[in-house]
Structure formats: C-alpha cells, structure tokens
Amino acid sequence: MSLAMDYQTHNKAIEVAAQLDTHEAVCAERYLGINARLKRLEGILITCAGTMIVLLLGIAFKING
C-alpha cells in the first residue's frame, strides 16, 4: 500500500512540475510582450512630450520676437 502511494505521489509531483514549467514559459512570453508594448508606449510619450515642448518654445519665441 505504501509503495503504491509513493508512486502516485511521485507521478503527481512530476505532473505538477511539468505544469509549473509550462506556466513559467507562458509567463515569460507574456512578459516579453508586455515589455515590448511598454517600450513602444514610452517612445510615443517621449516623442509627444518633445513635440509639445518644441511647439511651446516656438510660440514663446514668436510672441517675444
């Protein structure tokens, strides 16, 4: 009886380890996708901020000039 329980426990541990490995791989792929999207969003925000600063400086120099 104890030997059968040990095999069942061992098999369940192997199954859980496989599920955990799969979960880690899926999460790693998701992380890469999220990181890429954040980098793109950061670039867009920096570009927009730079554009607004340049436009505001242009307006300020036009008013003073």
Side-chain angles (χ1 to χ4, degrees):
M1 178 77 173
S2 177
L3 190 57
M5 287 289 274
D6 287 342
Y7 283 131
Q8 289 175 349
T9 304
H10 179 70
N11 288 339
K12 186 65 174 176
I14 290 172
E15 180 183 334
V16 169
Q19 289 174 349
L20 186 59
D21 289 341
T22 302
H23 176 74
E24 287 176 351
V26 169
C27 285
E29 287 295 322
R30 286 181 184 163
Y31 176 76
L32 290 174
I34 291 169
N35 196 28
R37 292 172 75 180
L38 285 174
K39 291 280 187 188
R40 188 177 67 114
L41 182 59
E42 181 183 15
I44 290 170
L45 289 174
I46 289 172
T47 302
C48 288
T51 302
M52 286 194 296
I53 289 169
V54 168
L55 289 174
L56 289 172
L57 285 173
I59 291 170
F61 284 132
K62 192 171 193 177
I63 291 173
N64 290 333

